């Protein structure tokens, strides 16, 4: 992860001293644009591009919402992570309609569910970049040690549904030898939760966490597994969790496409070949993550910014970004590109991960509707409540009541 960069304090736009149009683009994490932006400049000698790159999503979006409130200071192009999309869509009037200012784009460029998520009142707020189709990663050596089959075909039956997944966890725990079945309750709950059409909010932005039976059913299933010892109780991205990836602290991991790189980096060469990934995912398809490029109305070069954003999100460029940083494309043509379908991962046993995740992306029928404070409820309310259960500080019932009460405060 790169350290956060300081954003400019004034509205972007204008020209450089040599008369070029100056465009700024603000991103976070890795979008794979390091080679693409110079390529665009070479093809457009009248344009100079500056990338403001922040290490993680949270500070990037805090800056975004602060500058939206201030009315100035945003880049010409602002990247949006899907977890923050609901907040952006509630302020859609402060972003340009890309149907109006952007170049003509071929119909059906994006997966329908990816495109639909950024349309409000007929206006297109963002161009889709990457997605996070879900698969399941698992430690073959830990499966073998516990007497569970570890070949790709056999594990499919274990991961067919969430019921079979947790049942396999019960079997694993009888001979686990110190390892847990999964890393944390929050990671499993979030994957389950994202599969539903509606989650914490209905489409009128009414909080329904306490009346949506799917949310409570997921809670009951996950906390039940925690009670049986299936959780390693390691919050994702904590130092303990990172060490656990290498040490074999847990046998399975919900894996959006972008997770493979993290496992390889943290696992290191010592566990190469021990981690595997399968397209079987409980309950079918699911998505976790992915971003969009928007053009705020603060931009003084909105039309040219939209042209750059459209080019960056074309299938050809998204394949290049995938090759560079493994950002999985959301464009229909990119999902059938041989460069994607033939891409393999030696760390996970040379499996063709491009084809695997492309197939998983096609299983997703709709993106879950997210309310304005959806991300905050998931990250700071529900995850904290689940952790309190794992740590023995609360019963599942008490933690649920706390989560509902805190969600109601956040949603006000």
């Amino acid at each position: 992860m790169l350290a956060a960069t300081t954003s400019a304090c004034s509205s972007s736009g204008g020209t450089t001293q040599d008369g070029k149009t100056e465009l700024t683009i603000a991103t976070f994490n890795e979008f794979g644009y390091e080679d693409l932006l110079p390529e665009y400049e070479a093809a457009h000698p009248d344009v100079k591009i500056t990338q403001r790159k922040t290490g993680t999503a949270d500070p990037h979006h805090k800056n975004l919402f602060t500058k939206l409130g201030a009315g100035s200071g945003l880049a010409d192009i602002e990247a949006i992570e899907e977890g923050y999309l609901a907040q952006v869509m509630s302020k859609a009037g402060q972003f340009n309609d890309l149907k109006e200012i952007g170049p003509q784009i071929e119909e059906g460029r994006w997966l329908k569910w990816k495109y639909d998520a950024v349309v409000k009142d007929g206006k297109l707020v963002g161009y889709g970049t990457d997605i996070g189709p879900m698969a399941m990663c698992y430690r073959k050596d830990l499966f073998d040690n516990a007497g569970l089959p570890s070949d790709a075909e056999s594990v499919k039956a274990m991961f067919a549904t969430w019921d079979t997944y947790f049942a396999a966890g019960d079997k694993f725990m009888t001979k686990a030898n110190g390892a847990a079945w999964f890393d944390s309750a929050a990671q499993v709950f979030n994957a389950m939760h994202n599969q539903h059409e509606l989650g914490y909010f209905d489409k009128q932005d009414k909080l329904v966490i306490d009346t949506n039976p799917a949310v409570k059913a997921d809670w009951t299933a996950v906390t039940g597994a925690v009670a049986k010892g299936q959780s390693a109780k390691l919050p994702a991205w904590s130092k303990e969790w990172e060490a656990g990836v290498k040490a074999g602290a847990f046998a399975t991991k919900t894996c959006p496409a972008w997770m493979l790189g993290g496992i390889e980096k943290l696992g290191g060469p010592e566990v190469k070949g021990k981690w595997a990934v399968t397209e079987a995912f409980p309950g079918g398809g699911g998505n976790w993550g992915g971003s969009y490029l928007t053009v705020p109305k603060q931009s003084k070069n909105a039309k040219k910014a939209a042209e750059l954003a459209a080019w960056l999100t074309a299938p050809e460029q998204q394949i290049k970004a995938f090759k560079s940083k493994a950002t999985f494309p959301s464009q229909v043509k990119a999902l059938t590109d041989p460069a994607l379908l033939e891409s393999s991962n030696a760390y996970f046993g040379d499996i063709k991960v491009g084809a695997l995740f492309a197939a998983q992306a096609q299983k997703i029928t709709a993106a879950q509707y997210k309310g304005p404070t959806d991300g905050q409820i998931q990250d700071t309310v529900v995850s904290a409540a689940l952790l309190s259960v794992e740590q023995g500080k609360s019963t599942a019932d008490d933690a649920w009541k706390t989560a509902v009460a805190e969600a109601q405060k956040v949603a006000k």
Side-chain angles (χ1 to χ4, degrees), residues 213-234:
V215 180
K216 184 59 184 298
D218 291 345
W219 178 277
T220 300
V222 173
T223 55
V226 170
K228 294 179 179 180
Q230 292 188 23
S231 175
K233 307 175 185 178
L234 299 176

Side-chain angles (χ1 to χ4, degrees), residues 303-343:
K303 185 175 176 60
K304 288 194 174 184
E307 291 173 357
L308 171 58
W311 184 84
L312 287 170
T313 57
E316 298 80 7
Q317 278 63 256
Q318 285 301 122
I319 287 294
K320 294 175 184 177
F322 170 76
K323 290 179 179 179
S324 173
K325 297 295 181 181
T327 55
F328 205 82
S330 62
Q331 295 74 18
V332 174
K333 287 183 179 179
L335 294 176
T336 61
D337 193 301
L340 180 78
L341 298 180
E342 294 299 321
S343 63

Side-chain angles (χ1 to χ4, degrees), residues 54-374:
T54 304
T56 57
D58 188 57
H60 167 87
H61 290 87
K62 285 182 178 178
N63 176 74
L64 169 73
F65 294 121
T66 297
K67 299 295 173 59
L68 278 175
S72 66
L74 290 176
D76 294 293
I77 299 171
E78 289 281 345
I80 308 296
E81 204 272 339
E82 62 105 18
Y84 299 83
L85 185 59
Q87 291 172 270
V88 168
M89 296 304 285
S90 70
K91 305 177 186 297
Q94 297 189 56
F95 294 85
N96 281 286
D97 178 3
L98 297 176
K99 288 183 180 179
E100 287 189 358
I101 69 164
Q104 185 173 357
I105 292 176
E106 67 276 13
E107 185 176 351
R109 170 180 285 190
W110 292 276
L111 291 165
K112 186 177 185 302
W113 59 267
K114 179 73 172 179
Y115 180 87
D116 288 347
V118 281
V119 176
K120 185 171 184 178
D121 300 326
K123 297 179 180 179
L124 180 63
V125 177
Y127 292 142
T129 58
D130 62 321
I131 52 176
M134 298 293 294
M136 189 67 77
C137 294
Y138 64 99
R139 282 283 295 256
K140 294 190 294 182
D141 58 329
L142 297 182
F143 274 42
D144 292 338
N145 292 342
L148 296 181
S150 61
D151 62 283
E153 285 303 313
S154 296
V155 298
K156 288 182 180 180
M158 297 184 210
F159 301 150
T161 67
W162 289 109
D163 286 342
T164 61
Y165 173 74
F166 292 124
D170 287 338
K171 294 180 181 178
F172 177 84
M173 295 307 299
T174 63
K175 299 180 181 179
N177 297 318
W181 183 235
F182 55 82
D183 52 348
S184 74
Q187 289 285 288
V188 175
F189 179 89
N190 196 41
M192 298 173 73
H193 177 76
N194 277 344
Q195 290 181 315
H196 306 306
E197 181 181 357
L198 296 177
Y200 302 127
F201 291 87
D202 65 17
K203 293 185 178 180
Q204 287 70 49
D205 289 335
K206 177 185 176 182
L207 183 71
V208 293
I209 184 173
D210 57 335
T211 58
N212 183 348
V215 180
K216 184 59 184 298
D218 291 345
W219 178 277
T220 300
V222 173
T223 55
V226 170
K228 294 179 179 180
Q230 292 188 23
S231 175
K233 307 175 185 178
L234 299 176
W237 310 113
S238 65
K239 291 182 179 179
E240 295 78 10
W241 180 89
E242 292 181 351
V245 172
K246 176 183 290 188
F250 44 89
T252 67
K253 177 74 194 82
T254 50
C255 272
W258 47 264
M259 183 63 72
L260 300 191
I263 289 177
E264 180 175 351
K265 179 179 179 180
L266 296 171
E270 296 91 338
V271 292
K272 179 181 179 180
K274 294 182 179 180
W275 277 103
V277 58
T278 175
E279 73 273 16
F281 190 75
N287 183 73
W288 188 344
S291 299
Y292 296 86
L293 298 183
T294 66
V295 179
K297 286 187 176 179
Q298 293 181 23
S299 171
K300 296 178 181 178
N301 293 303
K303 185 175 176 60
K304 288 194 174 184
E307 291 173 357
L308 171 58
W311 184 84
L312 287 170
T313 57
E316 298 80 7
Q317 278 63 256
Q318 285 301 122
I319 287 294
K320 294 175 184 177
F322 170 76
K323 290 179 179 179
S324 173
K325 297 295 181 181
T327 55
F328 205 82
S330 62
Q331 295 74 18
V332 174
K333 287 183 179 179
L335 294 176
T336 61
D337 193 301
L340 180 78
L341 298 180
E342 294 299 321
S343 63
S344 60
N345 190 309
Y347 197 83
F348 290 83
D350 288 319
I351 190 170
K352 291 185 177 180
V353 293
L356 185 155
F357 283 105
Q360 292 301 96
Q362 299 290 353
K363 294 178 182 179
I364 304 167
T365 57
Q368 183 183 86
Y369 181 79
K370 304 286 188 181
T373 55
D374 202 285

Side-chain angles (χ1 to χ4, degrees), residues 186 189-190 193 200 373-384:
F189 179 89
N190 196 41
H193 177 76
Y200 302 127
T373 55
D374 202 285
Q376 186 178 353
I377 289 173
Q378 176 60 42
D379 293 341
T380 65
V381 175
V382 174
S383 293

